Every structure is written in C-alpha cells, then in structure tokens.
Amino acid sequence: MDNFTFWSPTLFEFGKGSEEKTGELIRLFGGSKVLVHFGGGSVKRNGVLARVEDSLCKAGLPFVELGGVKPNPRSGLVYEGIALCRKENVDFILAVGGGSVIDSAKAIAIGVPYTGDFWDFYSGKAAVKSSLPIGTVLTIAAAGSEGSAGSVITQEETNLKRAAGNECMRPKFSVLNPAFTCTLPAYQTACGITDIMAHVCERYFTNTRHVETTDRLCEAVLKAVIEEAPKVLANPNDYEARANILWAGTIAHNDLCGVGRTQDWNSHDIEHELSGLYDVAHGAGLSVIMPAWMQHVYQHDIPRFAQFAVRVWGCDMHFDDPEATAKEGIARFRAFLTAIGMPATFSDIGAKAEDIPILVKNLGVTEEKPRAGFMQLAPHDVEAIYRLAL
Amino acid sequence: MDNFTFWSPTLFEFGKGSEEKTGELIRLFGGSKVLVHFGGGSVKRNGVLARVEDSLCKAGLPFVELGGVKPNPRSGLVYEGIALCRKENVDFILAVGGGSVIDSAKAIAIGVPYTGDFWDFYSGKAAVKSSLPIGTVLTIAAAGSEGSAGSVITQEETNLKRAAGNECMRPKFSVLNPAFTCTLPAYQTACGITDIMAHVCERYFTNTRHVETTDRLCEAVLKAVIEEAPKVLANPNDYEARANILWAGTIAHNDLCGVGRTQDWNSHDIEHELSGLYDVAHGAGLSVIMPAWMQHVYQHDIPRFAQFAVRVWGCDMHFDDPEATAKEGIARFRAFLTAIGMPATFSDIGAKAEDIPILVKNLGVTEEKPRAGFMQLAPHDVEAIYRLAL
C-alpha cells in the first residue's frame, strides 16, 4: 500500500427535505452573500431552485442568480460568474444542479480571488491557491463533484476540456436529496451510473499491490450500483434505489475508493476529448471508451481483471484459464452498459473514425511523453483504444 | 434509507514516516501549545514518542507530557490532564497511542473549557458544547476513536464505563503509520481486530430496509479484515496486512458503515459492563458478548443473518432453510474469533456468573425502559445474553 492523505471534510446532508437546511449550512460555513449557480430550466420547473432559495431567505442570506450552465460546462459562463461575484461582493458559491453546474461553480470560486485568467488553472499555467467556499445541492448522481476537489471545464474557443483541482475547491457541504433525482430521464440516469462506475474503475485498476481494503470498498460500490441501477430504470420514482445510487456516486469520487494506490484516469481523459469535440454526455463517452480501454489493457494484469470478473460480476473463476475469466468480466460490463441503454460505439454517439488523429493530438500524448497509469499508453495505444470503440 | 448527516472532516495522514508531519499538522489546525498524552512506556521504548516530539520541536511547538493512560481509561487521569492544560495554557491535545489514550485525550479536551465536572458529559448530566482541538498518532488498529466523535471513560470510584460524544470531539487529524502497529503482541492485535469487526456489526444489524450501498461497505470492511487478520497473526511484521487492517479500523468507525440506518450498539454497551467491572480488554469482552448477542437475536431477522453468512463468510445459502445459513454465519464468526486467539466465555476472561445481576443492574436496563436497537432488549434478554456467554 502506498502512503496517502485522505481528507474528505465535506458535510453531507442526505435525505428527504435536506434542502431546507441549505441556508443554515451556508451560515455554518461563513457565507453572507451567495451566488446561486444553476443550469437550464429544470431546477426552476421542478421547484428545486425555489425550495433552496426559500431556505436562503429563511436564513436571511441575500443572493444573486446565475443560470445557464450546460453539460460540459463552458468557460464563457465562468467569466460571467467571476465578474458577477466581484461586482456583488459574493462570498459563497452555491451550485444547484449536477456535476457540470458544480464544476462551473468551482471554476468561478477559484477565479474570483485570482488576478489572472482563471483558465490558467485548467491549462496548467498556474496552481490553485485559494477559493471562495462552495456548497452544492445535487440533482443527479454521477460526477461526484459534490465531494471532490476537482473541476472540469471546456474552453469555449478551442473545445479543449481540461481539469483543475485543489483541496480548497472541495465543497464545504453538499445537500443530497434522492427525490431530486427521480425526475431525471432514463438516459441521463444511465449516463450518471456509467460515470459512477468509471470513477471506481479508474481507481480499481492499479499496479499497487496489497490494497485489499480499498479493493473491497471499490467492489462494494460497484456491486451496489449494479444491484440498484435496474431498479431506477424500471421505476424512476424508486426513492430507495435512487438513494443508494446517489450515495454510491458520492463515495465513488471522494477518493475513498482510491487511497493507498496509483490510479489510472486514462479512460476519463481519452473520453474528455470525445465530449469536448462532439459535446456528448460524459457518461455516454465513458460507456464507449472504458470497455475499449479494458480490452486494450487487460493482458497487462490478467489476475486483476479476473478478480474484477469474479468479485464484481459474479463470474465463475476459470482456474485453468484466468484470461477467459478476465474477458468474461469485461463482456459482462459491456452487456450491463448496453442493458441500461448506454452507447457502445463511436457511431452511437456521432463520433467519427476520421477524427481519431485529432482526438489523439488534442490529448497531447506523444511517443516521448506517453501517458502514465495502469498501463503506459503511447499514441498508438490511444489510437488503438479509439479504434476498438468504432 | 433514513435521512442522515455524514461529516467526517478528520485529515488522515497514512503511511510510513507519516508521524514526521505531526508538528505541521498541529500548526495547520491552529495549535501553539500542546499536551502530549500517552499510555504506558511502550511508546517511549519503541521510539514513537520521541519521533513525534521531534516533529513538534521542528515545528517550534512547545509541549507538556502526560503519560499513564491505562486500557479502559480512568477518570482520575482526566482530571489531572484538565488541570495541567489549564495551568500550562495548552490549546491543542495530541494523543499518542490507542483508543484508550485518544478517549482520555477527548475527555481532557472537553473538560478544559467546561466549568463543571467533566464527568457530567459521561453521566448524561450535560451536553458537550466545545472542545480543545485534538490530533492523534495511532499505535493500534482497534477503537476507531482516531476518526470518531465519541469517547468512553471509566469512573474511578464506581467502575462505571460511560460514553460521551459530540462533533467537536472528532480529531482534526490522525497520523496512521502501520509500522507502529507491528510491535503489538498477538493478543492485543486480535482484540483490536475483534473491536473493528464489532464496530461494523453494530451498524450492519439494522431494521432499516434498502441500505444496499452501506451494507456492501460493511461487508467490504469485514471481508478485508477477515482476509488480512491471519496474515498479521502469522507474521506480526507484515506491513501491508497491518496497513489494510489499520485503515479498515478507521473506516469501520467514522460512521461510513452506519449511515442511513438505525444502529444497534447493544453488544458494546453490554460489553462495557464487563470491561468496567473486570477491567478486561474491550475486544476480549466483545468476543465473548457479540456472538452471544447474535445467538439471542438472530431469529428477529433471519434473512439479514443469512446475508451476513453468505456475503461476509462465504457460506452457501440453504435456500430451503435460511435459518441454517443464519446459524452457520454465527458459527463461522465464533470459529474465526477462536482461531485468532480470542476468548469465548465468561470464564475465559475471569467473569463470574454470579455477577450477572450486577452487570444487568449497572447497564440500567429495566422492564419499563428496555434497550432499543436491532431487537429491543428487556432485562431478561440482557441476562439471557450474558448466560449464553457463560
């Protein structure tokens, strides 16, 4: 096991009616003037925004609104948010929505106290040093951004999707009401489930040995999601199944599943080029890329993929042919994704084979600078993974 | 799933050499004058205390020492610690040791800012409202106090063992170096393992339905411990196995395994009367009491005990006789405890059948005020559990 620091100080307020505590939670963490950041009209239509703002009013908290965050959140709105916060002397950012809204809120929160261009943090030009405090009211189980220290933004002009992260960006609190996720359409629900599973898999496939406790936690989260996913797709209003998935999504990405080991994250980055270029849902892109990545790399560590097959998917172990078990696990994962309505190929998401060189180039991988991870990936590996997804 | 708040803000610094960061961590959390609290001479003999104090010196932190905490920590030393902290203007308490040292440190930390008798918090006379900040350097995987908001102290004169808890008592940081646990004798190691498993079981046996994610996490921690325990008993210097158990012990008790459900804790409280009266190790008392409790209550929910048997212990499910499976799980648990050298009966720990009425009386359970939990326990239930442990 590797040395690690685990620090997940976010307060999670979970359950029915938990949004009523939003105002007092902002007070608890020192906020006095709030930016309420959200996406399209859904939080207005379903009344979530009104209930949250009601809680702010009850706590005597003045606020300004900034809506309009789109999936794969864009830099343009971040600049707008930063300007608004400065003008209005905002000292607390509240995200009401899913991962895109939260990531956009985080970008605004680190941009406000920074004198330069916030994109510096995402392009790698500057390291994040401070942030306004952030809180979230989550409306989709997916990104895990409600408990994570990271954010992913797409630059408007270039379509480059890049990540930034720092401990100070971790939300002070997150309000998780599973009922808010019941109105999500099946496709978005399944995209979220795929993202959750990917967050665990990126940590599960490691070269670090003797990390049994973390392994078992990873398997636990995956098994819970595999058990609960069909329930919410069969009955979107299944509060209990929604609740289990919502909590699994948070745990999948606060790094509980990743401590003490090297992690991969190549599937995520390879996917980011897809959703950056074609503006497809992140979960949909992951559904196409992650099994292709598995297919490309499984021979690097057949016992680990066999463990994945047996412990997560309940496959029988072929003791005389572990590779067969390893492949069966990947096949089960593919079949599961298909069963929950997720895409499997480039054409399913409108991606094009002829763009593969652009995707590889955007990823910035070169022969001299291959990507680290579970298996080192040179440009030809990345190309092979994209081709396996055709 | 029930509504819940999950807030585990403790920073965990895990791994080899992590104690070197103690000083800077105290600085991070605002400490400027430290009480270093510890137990017997072992942390002096094995050099742990010197390494920790060296880190404090490097951070320019003045400190005073208070050693002498015994297992089942006593109120007398707490009073001494409170007086010392006041005299020396201590503003940060550092516990170097196991659960007893940490619990004693927590009692001192809440006692210093309180004008009354600190025992008021443990007797239920007063609620904890504030605490000096606490940090820990852990030397045994067991109590989980390094990440929990609770503390258990035994009152000197009465031998009553009582608990107090409040969010403000949660350690700001905990330093977890698995190497520090390698010198632990086999018996104490096994006591710790038993305590860890009990912390999960107290949360696993619930009447709340649809808590799949938490169930799976409980099972994950138990399975990891079951896998790693024989390794450390066979080879006390197995760093990797020690590391997995140490982390499992922390997760077992920061309430990750307990959210969204009612919990039990009757085995713990029934045990506390034993270790309060006879001064036996808490883990040893739990090894005697917990299987007896299971035997007494399993018929309350046979499917849950069958799930425990199948998922945790790998028993085959007897589909036409779930009770047989349930009983098999309990038998496997007993066999595991025996295999790691834990006691099974009253006589193994020097407890006496004739004291049962005293134990029941000390627990404060009456016909009018039975104990809540997985199964409600009247005095005759508690007596039956003690008798099953004879």
Side-chain angles (χ1 to χ4, degrees):
Chain A
M1 197 186 296
D2 298 337
N3 282 6
F4 65 84
T5 304
F6 180 72
W7 195 15
S8 172
T10 306
L11 185 158
F12 298 104
E13 195 62 49
F14 192 102
K16 290 170 188 163
S18 49
E19 71 281 3
E20 291 165 17
K21 298 191 179 159
T22 311
E24 65 188 77
L25 285 166
I26 293 173
R27 286 276 182 210
L28 177 66
F29 291 104
S32 65
K33 176 77 183 277
V34 183
L35 173 73
V36 180
H37 198 39
F38 53 94
S42 68
V43 291
K44 287 197 167 178
R45 283 192 303 277
N46 60 24
V48 169
L49 192 66
R51 289 159 75 168
V52 169
E53 292 182 346
D54 184 51
S55 168
L56 268 58
C57 290
K58 280 182 180 151
L61 282 164
F63 60 88
V64 288
E65 287 186 348
L66 181 64
V69 184
K70 291 187 180 142
N72 300 319
R74 307 253 141 189
S75 51
L77 197 67
V78 174
Y79 291 111
E80 206 178 311
I82 292 168
L84 182 61
C85 286
R86 287 175 180 159
K87 180 173 160 250
E88 299 282 345
N89 291 314
V90 162
D91 61 10
F92 198 98
I93 315 275
L94 180 70
V96 182
S100 297
V101 174
I102 300 172
D103 281 8
S104 183
K106 287 175 176 175
I108 294 169
I110 57 177
V112 172
Y114 183 60
T115 50
D117 181 352
F118 93 92
W119 188 255
D120 292 350
F121 300 128
Y122 292 80
S123 66
K125 259 194 196 166
V128 178
K129 284 191 185 134
S130 70
S131 170
L132 291 188
I134 301 153
T136 90
V137 178
L138 190 64
T139 58
I140 170 168
S145 191
E146 69 277 11
S148 86
S151 157
V152 178
I153 299 288
T154 301
Q155 195 181 36
E156 211 95 36
E157 310 78 37
T158 58
N159 279 339
L160 288 177
K161 196 172 178 180
R162 291 291 176 267
N166 184 279
E167 235 358 281
C168 66
M169 295 161 68
R170 215 182 271 269
K172 300 295 179 197
F173 71 83
S174 284
V175 163
L176 312 175
N177 183 344
F180 290 173
T181 69
C182 288
T183 52
L184 270 182
Y187 182 73
Q188 279 167 265
T189 300
C191 280
I193 287 164
T194 307
D195 197 15
I196 292 168
M197 295 179 79
H199 288 156
V200 180
C201 289
E202 299 278 22
R203 295 171 163 103
Y204 188 72
F205 292 100
T206 178
N207 296 313
T208 310
R209 301 291 156 184
H210 307 298
V211 279
E212 180 69 10
T213 300
T214 313
D215 270 4
R216 290 286 187 186
L217 292 171
C218 288
E219 290 154 4
V221 174
L222 289 172
K223 283 198 281 197
V225 170
I226 292 165
E227 168 112 2
E228 302 296 318
K231 295 183 193 172
V232 297
L233 293 168
N235 173 14
N237 289 312
D238 185 335
Y239 175 88
E240 301 290 355
R242 292 278 188 189
N244 276 287
I245 291 173
L246 189 58
W247 187 233
T250 298
I251 290 169
H253 203 45
N254 77 341
D255 216 27
L256 180 77
C257 292
V259 295
R261 61 217 281 157
T262 62
Q263 305 182 11
D264 193 70
W265 297 100
N266 278 318
S267 293
H268 259 71
D269 288 345
I270 292 171
E271 189 293 313
H272 282 165
E273 300 311 328
L274 277 183
S275 50
L277 193 59
Y278 303 110
D279 206 19
V280 295
H282 176 50
L286 283 169
S287 178
V288 171
I289 291 301
M290 189 145 243
W293 173 85
M294 288 182 175
Q295 196 174 332
H296 186 75
V297 306
Y298 80 88
Q299 284 173 315
H300 171 71
D301 189 348
I302 285 172
R304 179 141 285 262
F305 272 91
Q307 179 179 318
F308 176 66
V310 171
R311 289 193 184 170
V312 175
W313 296 102
C315 298
D316 276 334
M317 178 67 191
H318 302 289
F319 293 96
D320 56 353
D321 187 0
E323 184 169 356
T325 309
K327 288 163 81 172
E328 204 176 312
I330 300 169
R332 292 268 188 108
F333 184 34
R334 274 190 198 279
F336 175 85
L337 293 170
T338 303
I340 64 169
M342 283 287 93
T345 65
F346 257 47
S347 62
D348 288 345
I349 55 170
K352 293 170 197 153
E354 59 262 37
D355 289 340
I356 288 178
I358 300 169
L359 294 164
V360 176
K361 184 166 169 272
N362 283 352
L363 189 63
V365 59
T366 61
E367 292 294 344
E368 300 73 37
K369 205 182 146 192
R371 295 188 62 86
F374 178 67
M375 191 180 117
Q376 187 171 288
L377 300 181
H380 68 270
D381 292 300
V382 175
E383 190 184 329
I385 290 165
Y386 281 127
R387 293 209 172 274
L388 282 166
L390 286 178
Chain B
M1 199 187 293
D2 297 337
N3 283 6
F4 65 85
T5 304
F6 180 73
W7 196 14
S8 172
T10 306
L11 185 158
F12 298 104
E13 194 62 49
F14 191 102
K16 290 171 189 164
S18 49
E19 72 281 3
E20 290 165 18
K21 298 189 179 159
T22 311
E24 65 188 77
L25 286 166
I26 292 173
R27 286 275 181 212
L28 176 65
F29 290 104
S32 65
K33 177 78 183 276
V34 184
L35 173 74
V36 180
H37 198 39
F38 54 94
S42 67
V43 291
K44 286 197 168 177
R45 283 192 303 276
N46 61 24
V48 169
L49 193 65
R51 289 159 76 168
V52 169
E53 292 182 345
D54 184 51
S55 169
L56 268 57
C57 289
K58 281 183 180 150
L61 282 165
F63 59 86
V64 288
E65 286 186 348
L66 179 66
V69 183
K70 293 188 179 141
N72 300 319
R74 307 253 140 190
S75 51
L77 197 67
V78 174
Y79 290 111
E80 206 178 312
I82 292 168
L84 181 62
C85 286
R86 286 177 181 160
K87 179 172 161 249
E88 298 282 346
N89 290 313
V90 163
D91 61 9
F92 198 98
I93 316 274
L94 180 69
V96 182
S100 297
V101 174
I102 301 172
D103 282 8
S104 182
K106 287 175 175 174
I108 295 169
I110 57 177
V112 173
Y114 182 61
T115 50
D117 180 353
F118 93 92
W119 188 254
D120 291 350
F121 299 129
Y122 291 80
S123 66
K125 259 195 197 165
V128 179
K129 283 189 185 136
S130 70
S131 171
L132 289 188
I134 302 154
T136 89
V137 178
L138 191 63
T139 57
I140 170 168
S145 191
E146 69 277 11
S148 86
S151 157
V152 177
I153 298 289
T154 301
Q155 195 182 34
E156 210 95 38
E157 310 78 37
T158 59
N159 279 340
L160 287 177
K161 197 172 177 181
R162 290 292 176 265
N166 184 279
E167 238 354 285
C168 65
M169 294 162 68
R170 214 181 271 269
K172 298 296 177 197
F173 70 83
S174 284
V175 164
L176 312 175
N177 182 345
F180 290 172
T181 69
C182 288
T183 51
L184 269 182
Y187 182 72
Q188 278 166 266
T189 300
C191 281
I193 287 164
T194 307
D195 197 16
I196 292 168
M197 296 178 80
H199 288 156
V200 180
C201 288
E202 298 278 22
R203 294 169 164 105
Y204 188 71
F205 293 100
T206 178
N207 295 313
T208 310
R209 301 290 156 184
H210 306 298
V211 278
E212 181 69 10
T213 300
T214 313
D215 270 4
R216 290 285 187 188
L217 293 170
C218 288
E219 291 154 5
V221 174
L222 289 172
K223 283 198 281 197
V225 171
I226 292 164
E227 169 111 3
E228 303 296 319
K231 295 183 194 171
V232 296
L233 293 169
N235 173 13
N237 288 312
D238 184 335
Y239 175 88
E240 301 289 354
R242 291 278 187 188
N244 276 287
I245 290 173
L246 189 58
W247 188 232
T250 298
I251 291 169
H253 203 45
N254 77 342
D255 216 27
L256 181 78
C257 291
V259 295
R261 61 215 282 156
T262 60
Q263 304 181 11
D264 194 68
W265 299 99
N266 279 318
S267 293
H268 259 71
D269 288 345
I270 292 171
E271 190 293 313
H272 282 165
E273 300 312 327
L274 276 183
S275 50
L277 193 59
Y278 303 110
D279 206 19
V280 294
H282 176 50
L286 283 168
S287 178
V288 171
I289 291 300
M290 188 146 243
W293 172 84
M294 289 183 174
Q295 196 174 331
H296 187 75
V297 306
Y298 81 88
Q299 284 173 317
H300 171 70
D301 189 348
I302 286 172
R304 180 141 284 262
F305 272 91
Q307 179 180 316
F308 176 66
V310 172
R311 289 193 184 171
V312 176
W313 295 103
C315 298
D316 276 333
M317 178 69 192
H318 302 289
F319 293 95
D320 56 352
D321 188 359
E323 184 170 354
T325 310
K327 288 163 81 171
E328 203 177 312
I330 300 168
R332 292 269 188 107
F333 185 33
R334 274 189 197 279
F336 175 86
L337 293 171
T338 303
I340 64 170
M342 282 286 94
T345 64
F346 257 46
S347 61
D348 289 344
I349 55 170
K352 294 170 197 153
E354 58 263 36
D355 289 340
I356 289 179
I358 299 169
L359 294 164
V360 176
K361 184 166 168 274
N362 283 352
L363 190 63
V365 59
T366 60
E367 292 294 342
E368 300 74 38
K369 206 182 146 193
R371 295 188 61 88
F374 179 66
M375 192 180 116
Q376 187 172 289
L377 301 181
H380 68 271
D381 292 300
V382 175
E383 190 184 330
I385 290 165
Y386 281 127
R387 294 210 170 275
L388 282 166
L390 286 178

